[in-house]
Amino acid sequence: MRISVICVGRVKEQYLRDAIAEYSKRLGRYCKLDIVEVADEKTPEHASDGLERQIKAKEGERIAKHIRDDAFVIALAIEGKQLTSEQLAAKINDLGLPSHIQLIIGGSLGLDPAILKRADYLLSFSKMTFPHQLMRVILLEQIYRAYKINAGEPYHK
C-alpha cells in the first residue's frame, strides 16, 4: 500500500522533524510512505474573512496539484468523523492492496472547501485544534499504530 501525506508548510522544529523521521522509518516495514509539503501563505494578524478565504484557496490549489485521481483521499478536518485507533486500522485494512491513500493536513487556517469536497473521507482527531506541524507527528503515529494493529503485533496502549 502507498500512503502519501500532503501537508501545508514546513516543519521548523527539530524535535518534530526527528519524530516524523522516526515514524517514517518505522512505517517503511508496512507501506511506501511519502510526505509532500506545499508552501503555506503568510497570514497577517487580524486577517479579514475574505483574505482568509483567499489564503485557503491558494493553499488548496497547491494541494490539489498533488491529489491523484486513483487515490482514496482523507482530509483532516475538525468537522470530520472521529475514529478509535482500531477503527482507523480497519479503515486502512478495508481499503486493501494495492491502494493509494492520500491524507491531507491543511495550514493554520484549515483546508479550502474545494479540498474538503474532493476528499473521499473527512477525519477528525478531536474537536480541539492542534498545530498543523504537530498534527503530522500525531497522524504518522496513528498510521503506524494502525499497521501494528492490523498485523496483530503488540504496541503500547
Side-chain angles (χ1 to χ4, degrees), residues 57-157:
K58 285 180 185 175
E59 292 174 348
E61 289 170 10
R62 292 178 188 139
I63 291 168
K65 290 178 183 173
H66 297 281
I67 295 176
R68 296 177 46 116
D69 291 336
D70 63 344
F72 186 85
V73 177
I74 300 173
L76 275 59
I78 202 162
E79 64 272 21
K81 183 170 168 81
Q82 293 183 19
L83 302 176
T84 64
S85 295
E86 291 80 10
Q87 289 170 324
L88 178 61
K91 182 88 175 154
I92 290 171
N93 195 52
D94 290 347
L95 291 171
L97 290 170
S99 291
H100 183 184
I101 301 173
Q102 291 186 301
L103 296 112
I104 302 173
I105 303 172
S108 60
L109 297 175
L111 287 167
D112 183 59
I115 298 299
L116 295 173
K117 186 176 178 183
R118 164 55 185 95
D120 298 300
Y121 193 83
L122 299 182
L123 177 64
S124 173
F125 276 74
S126 173
K127 291 185 187 288
M128 293 184 275
T129 302
F130 295 102
H132 59 280
Q133 295 180 23
L134 178 59
M135 195 64 232
R136 207 175 304 183
V137 175
I138 295 168
L139 175 62
L140 291 175
E141 189 281 332
Q142 284 299 302
I143 295 168
Y144 176 68
R145 183 180 296 269
Y147 275 104
K148 295 288 276 187
I149 290 168
N150 287 338
E153 297 172 2
Y155 191 67
H156 62 81
K157 296 185 180 218

Side-chain angles (χ1 to χ4, degrees), residues 8-22:
V8 175
R10 291 186 131 11
V11 175
K12 297 171 184 86
E13 290 82 8
Q14 186 61 46
Y15 70 96
L16 292 174
R17 288 198 306 266
D18 291 345
I20 290 164
E22 178 62 28

